[in-house]
Amino acid sequence: MNVTMPVVRARWSDTGRIADLITDTLSPTTLGAWLVPDEHRRPAIIAAVARIWTEHALLFGDAFLLPEGTAATIWFHRYRPIPPPAHYTDRLADACGEHLDRFRLLDQALAARRPTEAHNHLALLAAPGPAESGRAAAVLAGAQQWMDTLSLPTYAEVFTDIDRDLFQQHGYTHRDSIPLDGRTTTYAMWRASPFLAGRPSRNTCSPARRPLVRSRNNPSTRWALR
């Protein structure tokens, strides 16, 4: 029997579309304004960085779209170490210009709190437009259905109160609040695998918190989608 899934798995040809969705979602947010204060340059910079990480997700994770292409999710399979994107340091510098330090600081903040146990990482949900459209809820539910078949917990980083509430409605619990330079906050969310219900997790706490330090020459730093 054929079962129609509510989302479709993205292909390489969808990279540009997903990058546009990420740009349209992130640019109006407080986080987008903090990353790139120049509102005229913001869309182009975010789109360039989003493309780097969308391509990387298609190699080391998954990306899903609503069938009509109006919302997407970006995932990484973190049951083994993931290398950085090819030529990442140079590509990020070319994309961000004078805003590079902020993208590095964001990645450093997220990486310091990320779980160490095996999980699937929902790095970004991109659903432009009002929450009332239901696109964010639809793409999250559909992608989660795929991820649950892998029998691993899922971890997400969300950037608005609306998204935090949405994830809680889909079985995620608040795990941590991640302040960024005193101006905006990212929320870490955790969802246990439904196939392992009742079994204790080996790592229910985030790694020890480390002070955030701006690093200009550290090639190990990554952006939000990592």
Side-chain angles (χ1 to χ4, degrees), residues 107 134 139:
D107 179 74
V139 75

Tab-separated table of all heavy atoms in Angstrom, residues 107 134 139:
chain	number	residue	atom	x	y	z
A	107	ASP	N	27.426	30.485	16.248
A	107	ASP	CA	27.757	29.068	16.168
A	107	ASP	C	28.450	28.582	17.426
A	107	ASP	O	28.176	27.485	17.914
A	107	ASP	CB	28.654	28.810	14.964
A	107	ASP	CG	29.018	27.341	14.887
A	107	ASP	OD1	28.151	26.541	14.506
A	107	ASP	OD2	30.146	26.990	15.269
A	134	GLY	N	-0.262	27.791	9.135
A	134	GLY	CA	-0.135	26.368	9.421
A	134	GLY	C	1.021	25.689	8.726
A	134	GLY	O	1.240	24.478	8.909
A	139	VAL	N	5.086	21.323	8.175
A	139	VAL	CA	6.406	20.815	7.785
A	139	VAL	C	7.112	20.185	8.974
A	139	VAL	O	7.844	19.193	8.824
A	139	VAL	CB	7.252	21.931	7.136
A	139	VAL	CG1	7.790	22.920	8.172
A	139	VAL	CG2	8.384	21.331	6.310
